[in-house]
Amino acid sequence: MRSREKLIAKILAFTRGNLNRSALICGSSGIGKSWILETVGQQLRGQPHRLVRNGKHNSQWPLAGLLSFLASIPMRVPAEVLELLPRNQDDQVDCFRVAMSLHHGLAEGIEPETVFLIDDLDYMDPASQQVLSFLARMLQGNRISFIATVTGQRIPESFMDVPQLRLARMERQVLRAIADEHAQHPLDDAVREILVEYCRGVPEHLIQHLLSLSAAQSRGTEPLTIPFRPVTGTEASLRCLEQNFPSGSLQILRFLAMTPVAHETALEQCVGTASDALPHLESIGLVARSGPGLSLANSLMRSHLYWGTPREQRLAYQQQLAAHTILPVTSEFLRAKQDPAGIDAAGLLAKASQLLEAGQYHATVEVVEWTLRHADGAELLAPLMKLAERLTGTIHLCAACRYVRLALAQARDPRDILKLTALQLEIRTLQGQHIPLSEVYSLIEQHQQQEPELCSNLLSISALALCLNGRLAQAREDLQRAAGLWGRGDAQRLSPRHVQAQMIIDSLLQQPESTLEQYRVLNQAPVQQNHGITYVSVSTALTELGHHEKARLTLNRLQNTCAPESLNGRLAQLYAAEQAINSHDVPRGLRAVEQWNSTHAPTLIHPLPKIINAWYWLMKDRSDKVRGILDGLRPFVLDEMHSIYSNRIAGLEGEYALTRGRYEEAITFLQRAQAGQEGVPTTRLVETCVNLIEAMTLAERPEQAANEFRSMQSLMATVKSRQAKLMMRRAQALALPGEAALSRFDSLIDMWKPSDGTLELARIHHCLGSRLLLMGRPTGAAEHFVTARTLYRNIGALSWLRLLEIQSEPRHHTATAASEDLDLLNHGESQLVSMVHRGLSNKDIADELYISVSSVEARLTRLFRKTGTKNRQQLAARFAPGAVS
């Protein structure tokens, strides 16, 4: 949603600008352009505006669109314009004379600051577009704005030089909220995700599919039907397609609408010479290609074409495609549609994985859903289980979870139930969802006598999930119980999941033997012989023990041998970023987060991706980005929806506040993070304690900082990694008084090695400079500040550089307060404060911003209320003159 908020802010800036007051909002059909215009209109508040809508079926009669525009003012059409109106649809129009005739009347008759919001400008006739283009340019001097929406590929030629603002597809979390809001029946999580995936970021598609699904649910027809049957009539949409596409292109679209995927050779056989139009359809994004497979990318268009085609003709199209297609599963699926009664449901489900291997996820879901709908009680346990495993491996976790649940509904054998539950638990762990421990424990109690090894494996997966997410005490209990159950079976060795969980627990307890042994084993065996989670587990354990180079090499092996879009590749990318962050390797961490974000695939281990992105923007000193992510993560801290991450997020909040110079706020969050770690001696606990002691020192609480160090010293000392030892010594130096602190800092600089990381060296110089400044030695402080500044800049730790700049100013406390206040202001408010500092009067500000004096007064009043000030003098005093621009 933030992308849309930023776009709206940009559009509003055009309506108040002084140079260019016209803009085009571009985006595909159904993406929400009309909603953007309506929202802009609401946010204009007292500013006059007119909303002009154009429909797909508007008359193409010349100047018909212009007359609709004039009717919205309302304005009587001048006599000279009436004389220029065409008498026939094919008449030529002198657009320049029409525009000149209208210009004078509009300039005098329209109130300044009026904003015209024109929806679907591309549906207007070309003559009207030319006239409006001329008027939009000429009326800018009268402070009149033109904001219009167009479909991405149909920008009118007369508006090509107007600034174009691209409307991105909606974020998944916003689409999930839309799905919940418009669903008439409660939505299953997996069904919601499939709908969100299928609508390809277009809200209109999602709403149409939801209405169709709700109608199907009301009739009791489950599972999903894809393509979804539109609840609105398709005739208008089909007429629009016939008007906008030549017959050859339309024939291609019709054939593609009949099948989830068609091979190019089959399509050529069916449509013949019409395939010449295929490159054009691909270039405008209507046809998507995956290898030799082609599909209709616009799911809503496909729904209208599919259900708007008579059944007999639809079956004929499918019969032609089935006769020429190469892929057996597609051919069998299309033939099954001819005679659903004779379907081999189990066989068709088993073959659906061929589509998945070809990268056709949507086609796979369509085949599976249609098959399930026509299965008539067939035994589908085995193919559903295999399909769920394949979907998990290709990171389509929500669909996998749905088919696991359907398989569980058919499972009767305890072994099948336990295997499916183990897969379900792995999927939940990969998604970062809540683990239903009570259900797992109940299942184990029921079957542990007959199936001890499967129950032990299930407990080991539970322990591994808890370990990877920080719930150590509960993980140890599960692991001990799993070991007892495994001993009852015939197996000689513990399960791989048990070994992985035990290894992480040992690393947290500072017992490195099992981790180093497993690292040696992994190096000797081919990557394919071990599960990807094994490499993640070993890397996590090695990082905790301070073996950062070994941890990096472990993940590199996994990354170098699997595709980035696979599950193992995606896990390796995520934990490579996490490992670099934990080892304080800022440059590598920044690159790893960028690599993670560049691969478009479903999110794993929620909310860890948001956490690494919060760290990324924190290092970049992008307060707007950090604040948005942390606000979204706040429920994890306040409501403890996922308490396993609450201390990590609280620690990030504390570090963010610390780098912004808000020391009291930092202390609050860091104390919360420290308490959430339950006294488990880890490197992260040491880092939290050190940041807390630094915040207390900067907040001028030296006694409290010293007491904090004394109370945590023995616990921190049990963490054996060199990184933890260095941070602990820095905390000790911060807590010591006078010259003793300086000698401790000096010894830290002497003992630092390149392998310890540049960030730690920069922090040592930074803390030493701060201490010297507090002791009244600005010359010595400046020397260490210069060193820290250079190091921070070299590695890209801009947030710590920002804190250093605050502290190095002579009146850094005032600067800190100003920094705190500046976070309250948006760009426009900062600009207004800057003008107040320059001593501009309300009239001067109005002239500079091209707004009225009353608008300036209104903005200042809102700013006084927001900042708690009463007048210009108080506003200027609250913000440092050099802090705003």
Side-chain angles (χ1 to χ4, degrees), residues 551-820:
R552 185 180 65 82
L553 292 173
T554 300
L555 283 176
N556 280 351
R557 287 199 71 203
L558 183 61
Q559 283 184 289
N560 293 337
T561 53
C562 54
E565 64 273 9
S566 68
L567 174 61
N568 289 344
R570 196 70 174 149
L571 281 172
Q573 287 177 346
L574 177 60
Y575 278 95
E578 173 74 345
Q579 191 274 324
I581 293 169
N582 290 341
S583 63
H584 290 175
D585 190 340
V586 176
R588 184 160 62 88
L590 295 174
R591 291 194 301 271
V593 177
E594 288 166 359
Q595 184 182 9
W596 162 263
N597 290 331
S598 67
T599 305
H600 300 289
T603 297
L604 298 172
I605 322 291
H606 180 71
L608 187 55
K610 288 189 175 182
I611 291 174
I612 65 171
N613 272 286
W615 174 89
Y616 176 87
W617 292 115
L618 177 61
M619 289 298 107
K620 292 283 189 179
D621 194 29
R622 285 291 303 275
S623 176
D624 56 332
K625 295 280 189 179
V626 179
R627 189 67 272 156
I629 297 174
L630 291 179
D631 285 346
L633 291 172
R634 186 161 291 174
F636 289 87
V637 180
L638 300 179
D639 301 331
E640 296 193 350
M641 294 167 58
H642 284 259
S643 59
I644 51 181
Y645 285 115
S646 61
N647 60 316
R648 176 77 181 278
I649 298 165
L652 264 177
E653 286 269 18
E655 190 173 332
Y656 170 69
L658 179 60
T659 57
R660 304 297 292 180
R662 302 199 291 261
Y663 307 130
E664 296 296 335
E665 181 183 335
I667 290 170
T668 301
F669 278 110
L670 291 168
Q671 285 176 333
R672 181 181 296 170
Q674 185 186 73
Q677 296 181 58
E678 300 176 350
V680 178
T682 64
T683 304
R684 191 174 301 284
L685 175 64
V686 174
E687 184 176 4
T688 302
C689 293
V690 176
N691 284 337
L692 176 58
I693 291 167
E694 182 176 355
M696 289 175 173
T697 304
L698 293 172
E700 300 183 4
R701 298 193 202 173
E703 292 184 5
Q704 191 175 354
N707 291 335
E708 181 66 31
F709 178 77
R710 283 192 290 269
S711 66
M712 299 298 295
Q713 182 178 7
S714 58
L715 186 62
M716 289 192 290
T718 60
V719 183
K720 298 175 182 178
S721 71
R722 179 175 171 82
Q723 179 184 354
K725 296 297 184 188
L726 280 173
M727 288 192 295
M728 180 182 168
R729 288 175 182 268
R730 178 157 54 88
Q732 184 182 34
L734 287 166
L736 286 171
E739 297 296 331
L742 300 184
S743 66
R744 175 62 69 185
F745 278 122
D746 288 337
S747 66
L748 268 173
I749 294 172
D750 292 338
M751 70 182 294
W752 179 86
K753 298 177 182 178
S755 59
D756 295 327
T758 307
L759 180 62
E760 184 58 31
L761 181 61
R763 294 290 300 276
I764 294 169
H765 282 286
H766 185 166
C767 292
L768 176 53
S770 300
R771 175 55 61 89
L772 287 169
L773 194 62
L774 287 173
M775 294 173 67
R777 303 183 189 178
T779 304
E783 178 184 343
H784 290 285
F785 280 155
V786 168
T787 302
R789 185 181 292 111
T790 303
L791 295 173
Y792 283 146
R793 189 176 288 114
N794 287 345
I795 64 177
L798 302 183
S799 56
W800 292 108
L801 178 61
R802 184 184 191 281
L803 177 62
L804 186 148
E805 299 293 354
I806 292 173
Q807 294 174 345
S808 60
E809 293 179 6
R811 298 173 61 189
H812 68 272
H813 292 295
T814 302
T816 299
S819 167
E820 234 176 290

Side-chain angles (χ1 to χ4, degrees), residues 258-274:
M258 300 303 119
T259 177
V261 59
H263 280 252
E264 188 169 4
T265 53
L267 192 63
E268 289 175 353
Q269 292 289 329
C270 293
V271 299
T273 56

Side-chain angles (χ1 to χ4, degrees), residues 396-441:
H396 294 102
L397 302 179
C398 287
C401 193
R402 171 174 170 79
Y403 300 138
V404 166
R405 190 166 53 254
L406 292 174
L408 277 169
Q410 292 192 357
R412 298 293 180 267
D413 186 341
R415 294 183 61 84
D416 291 333
I417 294 173
L418 289 168
K419 289 177 182 177
L420 285 166
T421 304
L423 179 57
Q424 189 178 50
L425 200 59
E426 284 205 28
I427 293 170
R428 285 180 174 271
T429 302
L430 292 168
Q431 289 176 315
Q433 289 189 355
H434 172 71
I435 300 169
L437 292 175
S438 58
E439 297 177 19
V440 172
Y441 297 153

